């Protein structure tokens, strides 16, 4: 049965979408069958993997509304072993539309039940908020990866996210686990980066991934070409970091 991993942090700009796209591509290259779900109305995971957002007619919105079956929402990507359920700006409306629905937190979970066995890993790129979309992702997920940027205020808001995860565990999804905290945007030359790594490792110990995602120009360039870092520059530091993370996750789950 496929493992569902949400990639979440209500702070923007911490490397959620970069991690979603590149971890998905890295797992695919390592011969795992992957589904990436874009659950962010900004639809950056969709465009970042090379899909024209304007051409998306069926995606996460229809999936959550249950107006289309899950298989109708899946698109192939250019990346090896990687499918996507794309997003479109209309996903913004879903929070309002689901508010008075019964079992609104379980819409994604029930929609994915049919295809869990078709994939090794299903990754969900969450919106930078703790609204109904993220709640659906956390309720559907088996575990959550939390990206934390190695910058000032890195730990700000983390307590709030961990409290949200606790309440999801209590009310909606007792099985939800923390896959790991992922340090991103690390620059070895900066004292601050090193201090953040020390602080996070001191507080969270073995919850932190050994792999650290370093700042890398190629990594920043790849989405503008609609490619994962694996397709864009497989020899780059960014590609090596995400392949290392993918291997760490596979080892942890075998």
């Amino acid at each position: 049965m496929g493992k569902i991993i949400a990639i979440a942090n209500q702070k923007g700009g911490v490397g959620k979408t970069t991690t979603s796209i590149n971890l998905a591509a890295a797992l695919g290259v390592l011969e795992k069958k992957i589904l990436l779900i874009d659950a962010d109305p900004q639809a950056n995971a969709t465009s970042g993997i090379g899909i024209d957002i304007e051409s998306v007619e069926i995606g996460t919105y229809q999936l959550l509304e249950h107006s289309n079956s899950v298989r109708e929402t899946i698109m192939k990507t250019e990346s090896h072993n990687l499918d996507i359920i794309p997003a479109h700006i209309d996903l913004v409306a879903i929070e309002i539309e689901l508010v008075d629905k019964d079992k609104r937190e379980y819409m994604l979970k029930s929609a994915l039940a049919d295809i869990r066995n078709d994939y090794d890993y299903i990754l969900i790129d969450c919106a930078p908020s703790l609204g109904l979309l993220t709640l659906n992702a956390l309720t559907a997920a088996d575990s959550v990866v939390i990206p934390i940027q190695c910058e000032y205020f890195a730990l700000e808001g983390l307590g709030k996210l961990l409290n949200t995860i606790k309440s999801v565990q209590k009310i909606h999804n007792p099985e939800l686990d923390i896959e790991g905290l992922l340090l991103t945007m690390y620059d070895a030359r900066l004292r601050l980066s090193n201090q953040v790594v020390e602080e996070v490792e001191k507080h969270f110990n073995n919850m932190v991934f050994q792999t650290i995602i370093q700042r890398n120009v190629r990594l920043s360039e790849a989405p503008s070409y609609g490619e994962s870092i694996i397709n864009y520059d497989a020899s780059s530091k960014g590609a090596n970091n995400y392949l290392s993370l993918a291997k760490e996750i596979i080892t942890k789950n075998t």
Side-chain angles (χ1 to χ4, degrees):
M1 192 154 83
K3 181 165 194 180
I4 302 177
I5 302 176
I7 294 156
N9 189 330
Q10 78 274 24
K11 276 182 73 137
V14 297
K16 267 194 307 292
T17 301
T18 303
T19 294
S20 302
I21 293 171
N22 295 310
L23 174 57
L27 286 164
V29 166
L30 295 171
E31 300 306 331
K32 299 294 176 188
K33 202 161 179 330
I34 308 300
L35 175 64
L36 174 60
I37 300 172
D38 193 346
D40 182 352
Q42 293 173 64
N44 291 338
T46 303
S47 61
I49 206 77
I51 290 163
D52 173 19
I53 296 168
E54 294 310 313
S55 70
V56 173
E57 286 175 10
I58 302 172
T60 318
Y61 178 83
Q62 288 73 18
L63 183 73
L64 286 164
E65 263 208 330
H66 292 193
S67 57
N68 286 79
S69 77
V70 62
R71 286 195 170 83
E72 290 172 323
T73 64
I74 296 171
M75 290 176 81
K76 293 256 167 253
T77 74
E78 299 289 314
S79 288
H80 184 61
N81 279 334
L82 175 55
D83 294 344
I84 188 170
I85 297 179
H88 184 275
I89 190 65
D90 61 7
L91 189 55
V92 147
I94 201 76
E95 304 230 342
I96 299 156
E97 289 174 26
L98 289 182
V99 156
D100 52 1
K101 290 261 171 77
D102 223 16
K103 298 205 170 224
R104 57 182 182 266
E105 297 90 353
Y106 297 89
M107 292 300 188
L108 187 57
K109 187 184 177 102
S110 61
L112 294 178
D114 274 0
I115 55 145
R116 273 194 79 140
N117 295 337
D118 299 357
Y119 294 93
D120 294 306
Y121 293 96
I122 297 174
L123 303 185
I124 309 170
D125 183 30
C126 295
S129 74
L130 294 176
L132 203 44
L133 270 171
T134 301
L135 197 53
N136 260 274
L138 294 174
T139 302
D142 299 305
S143 66
V144 55
V145 168
I146 304 171
I148 298 170
Q149 84 282 42
C150 296
E151 286 171 9
Y152 200 57
F153 294 136
L155 297 180
E156 194 189 54
L158 186 58
K160 200 173 175 190
L161 177 61
L162 294 172
N163 284 339
T164 300
I165 290 169
K166 270 199 193 105
S167 68
V168 169
Q169 286 167 329
K170 204 181 291 178
I171 304 163
H172 305 295
N173 184 3
E175 307 299 308
L176 183 64
D177 204 3
I178 292 177
E179 190 74 27
L181 305 181
L182 175 67
L183 290 156
T184 63
M185 304 178 194
Y186 173 73
D187 187 337
R189 298 165 303 180
L190 299 179
R191 200 164 111 224
L192 180 62
S193 269
N194 293 303
Q195 282 173 338
V196 171
V197 171
E198 272 174 42
E199 200 177 333
V200 171
E201 286 177 343
K202 187 175 79 190
H203 281 293
F204 297 100
N205 208 341
N206 51 3
M207 279 166 69
V208 186
F209 284 112
Q210 284 171 355
T211 303
I212 294 177
I213 309 298
Q214 300 172 32
R215 273 201 184 281
N216 179 240
V217 175
R218 308 297 276 167
L219 203 50
S220 319
E221 289 172 354
S224 61
Y225 292 90
E227 291 185 341
S228 72
I229 189 64
I230 310 292
N231 284 16
Y232 183 63
D233 185 352
S235 64
S236 68
K237 199 181 277 180
N240 287 330
N241 287 169
Y242 278 107
L243 282 164
S244 161
L245 177 65
K247 286 172 188 162
E248 205 175 326
I249 285 175
I250 291 168
T251 304
K252 196 175 172 182
N253 287 288
T254 44

